[in-house]
Amino acid sequence: MSATHRRILLVSRPRGAASLDNFRLEEVPVPVVGPGQLLVRHHWLSLDPYMRGRMNDAKSYAPPQPLGEVMIGGTAGEVVVSRHPGFVAGDRVVGMGGWQEYALVDEAGAALLRRVDTSIVPLAAYLGPVGMPGVTAWYGLSMICAPKPGETVVVSAAAGAVGSIVGQLARARGCRAVGIAGGRAKCDYVQGELGFDACIDYKAAPDAAALDAALAAAAPAGIDACFENVGGRCLDAVIGRMNAFGRIALCGLIAGYDGTPVPITNPGPILRARLKVQGFIIFEHQDIWPWAASELAAGVASGRLRYRETVAEGLESAPAAFLGLLRGDNLGKQLVRLA
Amino acid sequence: MSATHRRILLVSRPRGAASLDNFRLEEVPVPVVGPGQLLVRHHWLSLDPYMRGRMNDAKSYAPPQPLGEVMIGGTAGEVVVSRHPGFVAGDRVVGMGGWQEYALVDEAGAALLRRVDTSIVPLAAYLGPVGMPGVTAWYGLSMICAPKPGETVVVSAAAGAVGSIVGQLARARGCRAVGIAGGRAKCDYVQGELGFDACIDYKAAPDAAALDAALAAAAPAGIDACFENVGGRCLDAVIGRMNAFGRIALCGLIAGYDGTPVPITNPGPILRARLKVQGFIIFEHQDIWPWAASELAAGVASGRLRYRETVAEGLESAPAAFLGLLRGDNLGKQLVRLA
């Protein structure tokens, strides 16, 4: 074990787009493990769009990320020292260890640390299809979209960690799965490798009419449910093609994360088509976690549920990789390899 | 009985705002009653915002009002001739007789005609607090807003036929009722006569900041549920002050009925506050009608549930009264007296 380790703090809040200078990398001593504590060496850091929201000093479902502290983040790693009765060195664990190479976990933190079985599912998958993104997909699809076999489900950011699972689960439930993604390569992946019935490249649809025509072709029977990660003009187009009593699970609005809110241009169909639009935050639904995770783990273990990872190497690459995630540079789950 | 009667047809579709020349008054013979049919003399015609939507040739929950035919509309009147076994002359009935002085009702139509008891509730009330507007209020409040005692409920168009009932039902359920209405007179009525806890005059709040400040003062604990009839900047302001897990029943979007859709400027809180926004159309919820109507009738009969009517005299006044309704000229239920 090295005597020092590295961590990344949030040091300023973005005005508009987030930038590299909002973060600072520093090297500090590896913490000493006291009674009841344990030390985790992080192998993987998860980068996720919700982090952008925490960078703002705004009212939200969670308090803002404090300035001068280690950035919040999901991590997967290995217990290297334990003075806690519930863990031993060598345990593989997943938690919210933050943007750093090691994390000291106390009694309270240990209650939130989850020991995972890496014999059937690789450790990193617990940050992706079997972790928060997968459970998010499972919850929004199952509990809000609640599609019946034969219905059409649209998901935006379809090549991302969440969207890629939404469409595959929708297919497994007998639905027509239509993705929306940015660029030909992502759409080829979504349709060719993940098996969606169709995928729309919104970058190839320059205006509302082109996007509407693409949706009409991809969803000829209209749209019964939408799992929304993006907002903006893609959501506008979807709302215009929703069938009566359609459901929209609002999971993310990444189009508006950089400052200026992105409107819903025409809410009329929410009324006329009697839609339900519902926001959710997966951290509030711990009750369904084991249930969802076991279905997801079985899918990953059997190979039925496919996923990809975009891996940045080393903690120092995290800020740039995070900005890339917000721009949509990644395919599948964006990870940072720390060990 | 006069040998002729008058009726109003839709003869053109609005471009932008509806106008008087979209309608044409004509005089035609009173229909002859055939076997199995009955003739109703209309005493009251109901004018309602949904009619504006039917004037457009747009996809909606119902087909557009055909050109050259009698405008759709709820009516209350008296059976004057019956050759139908289920009705006798003198029966007071409520139905969808349209903008005309008499309506010939055939076998199929008779199944949709409702005989009403005018001994405890006046006939016109079956078009207002005990009819479609009242049941609309009851459904959206009870089934979508579903407020718990102590919660704060906001309703727009609070002096209107629907809004006025929403707030009173919310008060009866132990909630804080906050209205939004246009003009001091309406707000005085809503607060002073209907007993809402507060009412905001949006015309006195020229911009978003002023509207937000007024809402903050009227709903100091935030907003748990909203019954929305209007859309636009009032809805924007409400969304910004919704508490976690708030519910928005989308009943109308009158701000956008004249053409240009009115956006939801900042949908971010729908996600961050995990809101549910749900549109509904009361005609699809016949199952709750008797249940709701009996609570409403008891409220009206006892005087606990207050309401007002704005009455236009004579069928010829219907088009102008309807345009006035869309502008918000009315207080309470807009009716046309036909007999």
Side-chain angles (χ1 to χ4, degrees):
Chain A
M1 187 193 324
S2 59
T4 63
H5 80 126
R6 297 180 302 165
R7 60 188 196 178
I8 291 178
L9 319 178
L10 183 72
V11 293
S12 62
R13 302 200 184 278
R15 300 181 183 184
S19 63
L20 293 178
D21 61 10
N22 296 137
F23 304 98
R24 190 175 70 222
L25 180 75
E26 65 176 22
E27 192 154 350
V28 294
V30 171
V32 175
V33 180
Q37 297 181 327
L38 58 100
L39 185 68
V40 179
R41 185 181 188 192
H42 293 155
H43 291 202
W44 300 99
L45 167 64
S46 174
L47 296 178
D48 300 278
Y50 76 83
M51 295 166 170
R52 178 63 189 82
R54 303 288 179 92
M55 293 172 76
N56 293 340
D57 188 13
K59 186 186 166 190
S60 189
Y61 58 89
Q65 161 76 37
L67 290 179
E69 294 190 13
V70 175
M71 263 299 285
I72 188 176
T75 48
E78 183 180 350
V79 175
V80 286
V81 179
S82 178
R83 298 182 65 188
H84 184 287
F87 293 88
V88 297
D91 281 349
R92 302 295 168 126
V93 289
V94 174
M96 295 296 290
W99 294 26
Q100 55 186 346
E101 292 173 324
Y102 285 84
L104 183 70
V105 180
D106 62 14
E107 195 90 40
L112 302 172
L113 210 60
R114 213 154 43 88
R115 196 186 297 97
V116 295
D117 177 0
T118 55
S119 66
I120 47 161
V121 169
L123 181 60
Y126 288 100
L127 299 178
V130 184
M132 188 269 283
V135 175
T136 298
W138 190 98
Y139 181 87
L141 182 75
S142 308
M143 307 304 269
I144 299 179
C145 292
K148 291 186 274 290
E151 288 193 332
T152 297
V153 177
V154 171
V155 56
S156 56
V162 175
S164 59
I165 304 299
V166 170
Q168 292 181 86
L169 293 179
R171 288 273 306 165
R173 283 154 172 67
C175 300
R176 177 172 179 84
V178 176
I180 302 177
R184 198 60 252 160
K186 285 186 182 175
C187 286
D188 287 346
Y189 163 65
V190 167
Q191 214 175 329
E193 194 168 323
L194 301 181
F196 284 43
D197 297 279
C199 189
I200 293 166
D201 175 8
Y202 71 83
K203 291 183 178 173
D207 56 24
L211 204 50
D212 182 64
L215 261 183
I223 302 165
D224 301 294
C226 168
F227 190 108
E228 185 55 47
N229 292 307
V230 178
R233 69 189 191 99
C234 292
L235 177 55
D236 283 340
V238 166
I239 287 177
R241 296 220 154 256
M242 293 291 292
N243 292 329
F245 307 108
R247 294 79 59 195
I248 299 178
L250 208 57
C251 175
L253 287 168
I254 199 169
Y257 284 3
D258 268 352
T260 320
V262 175
I264 293 177
T265 303
N266 180 13
I270 302 175
L271 170 57
R272 288 197 299 274
R274 294 83 92 204
L275 308 181
K276 183 179 76 173
V277 182
Q278 188 164 359
F280 74 102
I281 302 294
I282 195 58
F283 299 112
E284 293 172 337
H285 303 283
Q286 296 296 332
D287 49 326
I288 60 96
W289 203 285
W291 189 15
S294 75
E295 177 180 342
L296 294 160
V300 167
S302 72
R304 275 180 289 111
L305 202 57
R306 307 184 65 126
Y307 66 103
R308 281 215 209 161
E309 292 160 346
T310 297
V311 177
E313 299 292 339
L315 184 68
E316 68 282 8
S317 68
F322 176 62
L323 301 184
L325 169 75
L326 294 178
R327 281 191 308 265
D329 292 351
N330 58 304
L331 193 69
K333 176 67 202 169
Q334 178 66 57
L335 295 170
V336 183
R337 193 196 314 268
L338 302 182
Chain B
M1 188 194 318
S2 58
T4 63
H5 80 124
R6 296 181 302 165
R7 59 189 199 180
I8 291 177
L9 318 178
L10 184 72
V11 293
S12 62
R13 302 200 185 280
R15 300 180 181 183
S19 64
L20 292 179
D21 60 11
N22 296 137
F23 303 97
R24 190 176 70 221
L25 180 74
E26 64 177 20
E27 193 155 347
V28 294
V30 172
V32 174
V33 181
Q37 298 181 327
L38 59 101
L39 185 68
V40 178
R41 184 181 188 193
H42 293 155
H43 291 203
W44 300 99
L45 166 65
S46 174
L47 295 178
D48 300 278
Y50 75 83
M51 295 167 171
R52 179 63 189 81
R54 302 289 178 90
M55 293 173 75
N56 293 341
D57 189 14
K59 186 186 165 190
S60 188
Y61 58 89
Q65 161 75 39
L67 290 179
E69 295 190 11
V70 175
M71 265 297 289
I72 189 176
T75 47
E78 183 180 348
V79 175
V80 286
V81 179
S82 178
R83 299 181 65 186
H84 184 287
F87 292 88
V88 297
D91 279 350
R92 301 296 169 126
V93 290
V94 174
M96 294 297 289
W99 294 27
Q100 55 186 347
E101 292 173 323
Y102 285 83
L104 183 70
V105 181
D106 63 12
E107 194 90 37
L112 303 171
L113 209 60
R114 214 154 42 85
R115 196 186 297 99
V116 296
D117 177 0
T118 54
S119 65
I120 50 162
V121 169
L123 181 60
Y126 287 100
L127 298 177
V130 183
M132 187 269 281
V135 174
T136 299
W138 191 98
Y139 181 88
L141 182 75
S142 307
M143 307 305 270
I144 300 179
C145 293
K148 291 186 273 292
E151 289 192 332
T152 296
V153 178
V154 171
V155 56
S156 56
V162 175
S164 60
I165 304 299
V166 170
Q168 293 181 83
L169 292 178
R171 289 272 307 166
R173 283 154 172 66
C175 299
R176 178 172 178 83
V178 176
I180 302 178
R184 198 61 251 160
K186 286 186 182 174
C187 288
D188 287 347
Y189 163 64
V190 166
Q191 214 175 329
E193 194 169 322
L194 301 180
F196 284 44
D197 297 281
C199 188
I200 294 165
D201 175 8
Y202 71 83
K203 291 184 177 172
D207 57 25
L211 204 50
D212 182 64
L215 261 182
I223 301 166
D224 301 293
C226 169
F227 189 109
E228 185 56 46
N229 292 307
V230 178
R233 69 189 192 98
C234 290
L235 178 55
D236 284 340
V238 165
I239 287 176
R241 296 221 154 256
M242 292 291 292
N243 292 329
F245 308 109
R247 292 82 60 195
I248 299 178
L250 208 55
C251 174
L253 287 169
I254 198 169
Y257 284 2
D258 269 352
T260 320
V262 174
I264 292 177
T265 305
N266 180 14
I270 302 175
L271 171 56
R272 290 197 299 274
R274 294 85 89 204
L275 307 182
K276 183 178 76 172
V277 182
Q278 189 164 358
F280 74 103
I281 301 294
I282 195 59
F283 299 110
E284 293 172 338
H285 302 285
Q286 297 295 333
D287 50 324
I288 60 94
W289 203 285
W291 190 14
S294 75
E295 178 181 341
L296 294 161
V300 167
S302 72
R304 275 180 288 110
L305 203 57
R306 307 184 65 128
Y307 67 102
R308 282 215 210 163
E309 293 159 347
T310 297
V311 177
E313 298 294 338
L315 184 68
E316 69 279 10
S317 68
F322 177 61
L323 301 183
L325 170 75
L326 295 177
R327 281 191 309 265
D329 291 351
N330 59 305
L331 193 68
K333 176 64 200 170
Q334 179 68 57
L335 294 170
V336 182
R337 192 196 315 266
L338 301 183

